[in-house]
mmCIF file of all heavy atoms in Angstrom:
data_model
loop_
_atom_site.group_PDB
_atom_site.id
_atom_site.type_symbol
_atom_site.label_atom_id
_atom_site.label_comp_id
_atom_site.label_asym_id
_atom_site.label_seq_id
_atom_site.Cartn_x
_atom_site.Cartn_y
_atom_site.Cartn_z
ATOM 1 N N ILE A 56 -57.753 96.637 182.954
ATOM 2 C CA ILE A 56 -58.536 96.844 181.727
ATOM 3 C C ILE A 56 -57.941 96.032 180.582
ATOM 4 O O ILE A 56 -58.658 95.469 179.754
ATOM 5 C CB ILE A 56 -58.583 98.342 181.360
ATOM 6 C CG1 ILE A 56 -59.292 99.125 182.457
ATOM 7 C CG2 ILE A 56 -59.268 98.558 180.027
ATOM 8 C CD1 ILE A 56 -59.290 100.617 182.228
ATOM 9 N N MET A 57 -56.602 95.940 180.582
ATOM 10 C CA MET A 57 -55.919 95.229 179.491
ATOM 11 C C MET A 57 -56.323 93.773 179.416
ATOM 12 O O MET A 57 -56.315 93.172 178.349
ATOM 13 C CB MET A 57 -54.408 95.330 179.691
ATOM 14 C CG MET A 57 -53.836 96.661 179.293
ATOM 15 S SD MET A 57 -54.067 96.925 177.546
ATOM 16 C CE MET A 57 -54.975 98.435 177.554
ATOM 17 N N PHE A 58 -56.652 93.169 180.572
ATOM 18 C CA PHE A 58 -57.020 91.753 180.566
ATOM 19 C C PHE A 58 -58.282 91.502 179.760
ATOM 20 O O PHE A 58 -58.514 90.411 179.269
ATOM 21 C CB PHE A 58 -57.216 91.236 182.003
ATOM 22 C CG PHE A 58 -55.983 91.349 182.841
ATOM 23 C CD1 PHE A 58 -56.058 91.662 184.182
ATOM 24 C CD2 PHE A 58 -54.737 91.147 182.266
ATOM 25 C CE1 PHE A 58 -54.916 91.770 184.950
ATOM 26 C CE2 PHE A 58 -53.593 91.257 183.024
ATOM 27 C CZ PHE A 58 -53.677 91.571 184.368
ATOM 28 N N LEU A 59 -59.128 92.503 179.636
ATOM 29 C CA LEU A 59 -60.305 92.374 178.783
ATOM 30 C C LEU A 59 -60.015 92.905 177.379
ATOM 31 O O LEU A 59 -60.471 92.349 176.382
ATOM 32 C CB LEU A 59 -61.481 93.153 179.401
ATOM 33 C CG LEU A 59 -62.807 93.075 178.651
ATOM 34 C CD1 LEU A 59 -63.269 91.640 178.554
ATOM 35 C CD2 LEU A 59 -63.862 93.899 179.358
ATOM 36 N N HIS A 60 -59.221 93.979 177.337
ATOM 37 C CA HIS A 60 -58.992 94.692 176.079
ATOM 38 C C HIS A 60 -58.251 93.818 175.061
ATOM 39 O O HIS A 60 -58.681 93.675 173.919
ATOM 40 C CB HIS A 60 -58.193 95.968 176.386
ATOM 41 C CG HIS A 60 -57.836 96.779 175.201
ATOM 42 N ND1 HIS A 60 -58.721 97.639 174.600
ATOM 43 C CD2 HIS A 60 -56.702 96.871 174.487
ATOM 44 C CE1 HIS A 60 -58.136 98.220 173.583
ATOM 45 N NE2 HIS A 60 -56.908 97.772 173.485
ATOM 46 N N VAL A 61 -57.134 93.238 175.493
ATOM 47 C CA VAL A 61 -56.271 92.534 174.541
ATOM 48 C C VAL A 61 -56.939 91.276 173.976
ATOM 49 O O VAL A 61 -56.967 91.093 172.750
ATOM 50 C CB VAL A 61 -54.903 92.232 175.196
ATOM 51 C CG1 VAL A 61 -54.027 91.419 174.270
ATOM 52 C CG2 VAL A 61 -54.217 93.523 175.586
ATOM 53 N N PRO A 62 -57.522 90.385 174.832
ATOM 54 C CA PRO A 62 -58.206 89.227 174.240
ATOM 55 C C PRO A 62 -59.356 89.628 173.318
ATOM 56 O O PRO A 62 -59.573 88.990 172.286
ATOM 57 C CB PRO A 62 -58.741 88.468 175.461
ATOM 58 C CG PRO A 62 -57.903 88.900 176.586
ATOM 59 C CD PRO A 62 -57.539 90.317 176.310
ATOM 60 N N SER A 63 -60.083 90.703 173.661
ATOM 61 C CA SER A 63 -61.164 91.153 172.786
ATOM 62 C C SER A 63 -60.621 91.559 171.425
ATOM 63 O O SER A 63 -61.230 91.283 170.391
ATOM 64 C CB SER A 63 -61.897 92.338 173.406
ATOM 65 O OG SER A 63 -62.402 91.989 174.656
ATOM 66 N N ALA A 64 -59.458 92.228 171.428
ATOM 67 C CA ALA A 64 -58.863 92.645 170.154
ATOM 68 C C ALA A 64 -58.501 91.429 169.314
ATOM 69 O O ALA A 64 -58.760 91.388 168.108
ATOM 70 C CB ALA A 64 -57.619 93.487 170.415
ATOM 71 N N TRP A 65 -57.919 90.400 169.960
ATOM 72 C CA TRP A 65 -57.592 89.172 169.217
ATOM 73 C C TRP A 65 -58.852 88.566 168.628
ATOM 74 O O TRP A 65 -58.866 88.156 167.459
ATOM 75 C CB TRP A 65 -56.930 88.149 170.143
ATOM 76 C CG TRP A 65 -55.575 88.552 170.611
ATOM 77 C CD1 TRP A 65 -54.780 89.519 170.065
ATOM 78 C CD2 TRP A 65 -54.848 88.005 171.721
ATOM 79 N NE1 TRP A 65 -53.611 89.608 170.771
ATOM 80 C CE2 TRP A 65 -53.618 88.698 171.790
ATOM 81 C CE3 TRP A 65 -55.119 87.007 172.651
ATOM 82 C CZ2 TRP A 65 -52.659 88.415 172.756
ATOM 83 C CZ3 TRP A 65 -54.168 86.725 173.612
ATOM 84 C CH2 TRP A 65 -52.945 87.424 173.667
ATOM 85 N N LEU A 66 -59.927 88.510 169.424
ATOM 86 C CA LEU A 66 -61.153 87.865 168.947
ATOM 87 C C LEU A 66 -61.843 88.709 167.883
ATOM 88 O O LEU A 66 -62.477 88.173 166.972
ATOM 89 C CB LEU A 66 -62.095 87.599 170.118
ATOM 90 C CG LEU A 66 -61.625 86.452 171.012
ATOM 91 C CD1 LEU A 66 -62.483 86.349 172.249
ATOM 92 C CD2 LEU A 66 -61.651 85.143 170.243
ATOM 93 N N ALA A 67 -61.734 90.045 167.993
ATOM 94 C CA ALA A 67 -62.344 90.913 166.982
ATOM 95 C C ALA A 67 -61.714 90.661 165.623
ATOM 96 O O ALA A 67 -62.405 90.492 164.612
ATOM 97 C CB ALA A 67 -62.194 92.375 167.389
ATOM 98 N N LEU A 68 -60.377 90.603 165.602
ATOM 99 C CA LEU A 68 -59.678 90.327 164.345
ATOM 100 C C LEU A 68 -59.909 88.897 163.898
ATOM 101 O O LEU A 68 -60.212 88.630 162.730
ATOM 102 C CB LEU A 68 -58.179 90.565 164.524
ATOM 103 C CG LEU A 68 -57.657 91.940 164.134
ATOM 104 C CD1 LEU A 68 -56.169 92.012 164.422
ATOM 105 C CD2 LEU A 68 -57.916 92.201 162.667
ATOM 106 N N GLY A 69 -59.780 87.962 164.873
ATOM 107 C CA GLY A 69 -59.958 86.554 164.554
ATOM 108 C C GLY A 69 -61.351 86.279 164.014
ATOM 109 O O GLY A 69 -61.514 85.488 163.091
ATOM 110 N N PHE A 103 -67.137 92.530 170.117
ATOM 111 C CA PHE A 103 -65.763 92.537 170.639
ATOM 112 C C PHE A 103 -65.012 93.765 170.125
ATOM 113 O O PHE A 103 -64.222 94.372 170.853
ATOM 114 C CB PHE A 103 -65.036 91.243 170.273
ATOM 115 C CG PHE A 103 -65.332 90.112 171.216
ATOM 116 C CD1 PHE A 103 -65.849 88.912 170.758
ATOM 117 C CD2 PHE A 103 -65.088 90.248 172.576
ATOM 118 C CE1 PHE A 103 -66.133 87.879 171.630
ATOM 119 C CE2 PHE A 103 -65.368 89.217 173.460
ATOM 120 C CZ PHE A 103 -65.890 88.033 172.987
ATOM 121 N N VAL A 107 -63.283 96.527 172.411
ATOM 122 C CA VAL A 107 -61.888 96.981 172.263
ATOM 123 C C VAL A 107 -61.832 98.506 172.263
ATOM 124 O O VAL A 107 -61.024 99.112 172.971
ATOM 125 C CB VAL A 107 -61.285 96.436 170.957
ATOM 126 C CG1 VAL A 107 -59.906 97.034 170.734
ATOM 127 C CG2 VAL A 107 -61.190 94.934 171.005
ATOM 128 N N PRO A 204 -53.558 85.933 183.710
ATOM 129 C CA PRO A 204 -54.963 86.329 183.578
ATOM 130 C C PRO A 204 -55.347 86.667 182.146
ATOM 131 O O PRO A 204 -56.485 86.431 181.733
ATOM 132 C CB PRO A 204 -55.080 87.566 184.479
ATOM 133 C CG PRO A 204 -53.712 87.965 184.804
ATOM 134 C CD PRO A 204 -52.833 86.791 184.660
ATOM 135 N N LEU A 205 -54.376 87.189 181.383
ATOM 136 C CA LEU A 205 -54.650 87.531 179.982
ATOM 137 C C LEU A 205 -55.051 86.287 179.192
ATOM 138 O O LEU A 205 -56.056 86.271 178.473
ATOM 139 C CB LEU A 205 -53.387 88.162 179.385
ATOM 140 C CG LEU A 205 -53.549 88.993 178.131
ATOM 141 C CD1 LEU A 205 -54.273 90.272 178.476
ATOM 142 C CD2 LEU A 205 -52.197 89.308 177.528
ATOM 143 N N LEU A 206 -54.265 85.217 179.376
ATOM 144 C CA LEU A 206 -54.545 83.985 178.631
ATOM 145 C C LEU A 206 -55.826 83.322 179.130
ATOM 146 O O LEU A 206 -56.607 82.793 178.338
ATOM 147 C CB LEU A 206 -53.362 83.015 178.748
ATOM 148 C CG LEU A 206 -52.091 83.501 178.040
ATOM 149 C CD1 LEU A 206 -50.976 82.491 178.187
ATOM 150 C CD2 LEU A 206 -52.358 83.766 176.568
ATOM 151 N N LEU A 207 -56.047 83.391 180.479
ATOM 152 C CA LEU A 207 -57.286 82.834 181.030
ATOM 153 C C LEU A 207 -58.493 83.531 180.411
ATOM 154 O O LEU A 207 -59.467 82.902 179.992
ATOM 155 C CB LEU A 207 -57.314 83.032 182.547
ATOM 156 C CG LEU A 207 -56.735 81.909 183.398
ATOM 157 C CD1 LEU A 207 -56.755 82.305 184.863
ATOM 158 C CD2 LEU A 207 -57.545 80.629 183.177
ATOM 159 N N MET A 208 -58.414 84.871 180.351
ATOM 160 C CA MET A 208 -59.527 85.643 179.807
ATOM 161 C C MET A 208 -59.726 85.335 178.336
ATOM 162 O O MET A 208 -60.851 85.233 177.856
ATOM 163 C CB MET A 208 -59.259 87.141 180.014
ATOM 164 C CG MET A 208 -60.436 88.017 179.705
ATOM 165 S SD MET A 208 -61.865 87.668 180.731
ATOM 166 C CE MET A 208 -61.699 88.895 181.987
ATOM 167 N N PHE A 209 -58.606 85.152 177.616
ATOM 168 C CA PHE A 209 -58.712 84.812 176.197
ATOM 169 C C PHE A 209 -59.441 83.486 176.027
ATOM 170 O O PHE A 209 -60.343 83.359 175.187
ATOM 171 C CB PHE A 209 -57.313 84.753 175.573
ATOM 172 C CG PHE A 209 -57.313 84.369 174.129
ATOM 173 C CD1 PHE A 209 -58.013 85.138 173.216
ATOM 174 C CD2 PHE A 209 -56.630 83.247 173.685
ATOM 175 C CE1 PHE A 209 -58.025 84.790 171.874
ATOM 176 C CE2 PHE A 209 -56.643 82.898 172.345
ATOM 177 C CZ PHE A 209 -57.338 83.674 171.440
ATOM 178 N N ALA A 210 -59.078 82.503 176.858
ATOM 179 C CA ALA A 210 -59.735 81.200 176.778
ATOM 180 C C ALA A 210 -61.227 81.340 177.088
ATOM 181 O O ALA A 210 -62.082 80.793 176.372
ATOM 182 C CB ALA A 210 -59.073 80.219 177.748
ATOM 183 N N ALA A 211 -61.548 82.110 178.150
ATOM 184 C CA ALA A 211 -62.949 82.261 178.548
ATOM 185 C C ALA A 211 -63.756 82.951 177.463
ATOM 186 O O ALA A 211 -64.852 82.522 177.095
ATOM 187 C CB ALA A 211 -63.022 83.048 179.852
ATOM 188 N N LEU A 212 -63.200 84.053 176.907
ATOM 189 C CA LEU A 212 -63.947 84.789 175.884
ATOM 190 C C LEU A 212 -64.080 83.976 174.598
ATOM 191 O O LEU A 212 -65.099 84.062 173.907
ATOM 192 C CB LEU A 212 -63.254 86.129 175.598
ATOM 193 C CG LEU A 212 -63.309 87.162 176.725
ATOM 194 C CD1 LEU A 212 -62.622 88.442 176.304
ATOM 195 C CD2 LEU A 212 -64.741 87.456 177.128
ATOM 196 N N SER A 213 -63.044 83.158 174.283
ATOM 197 C CA SER A 213 -63.154 82.315 173.095
ATOM 198 C C SER A 213 -64.286 81.316 173.269
ATOM 199 O O SER A 213 -65.088 81.097 172.347
ATOM 200 C CB SER A 213 -61.848 81.561 172.844
ATOM 201 O OG SER A 213 -60.774 82.449 172.794
#
Side-chain angles (χ1 to χ4, degrees):
Chain A
I56 297 176
M57 283 296 123
F58 299 144
L59 182 60
H60 178 80
V61 176
S63 302
W65 292 343
L66 287 172
L68 266 178
F103 277 123
V107 174
L205 200 70
L206 293 181
L207 269 176
M208 190 61 97
F209 178 59
L212 291 181
S213 306

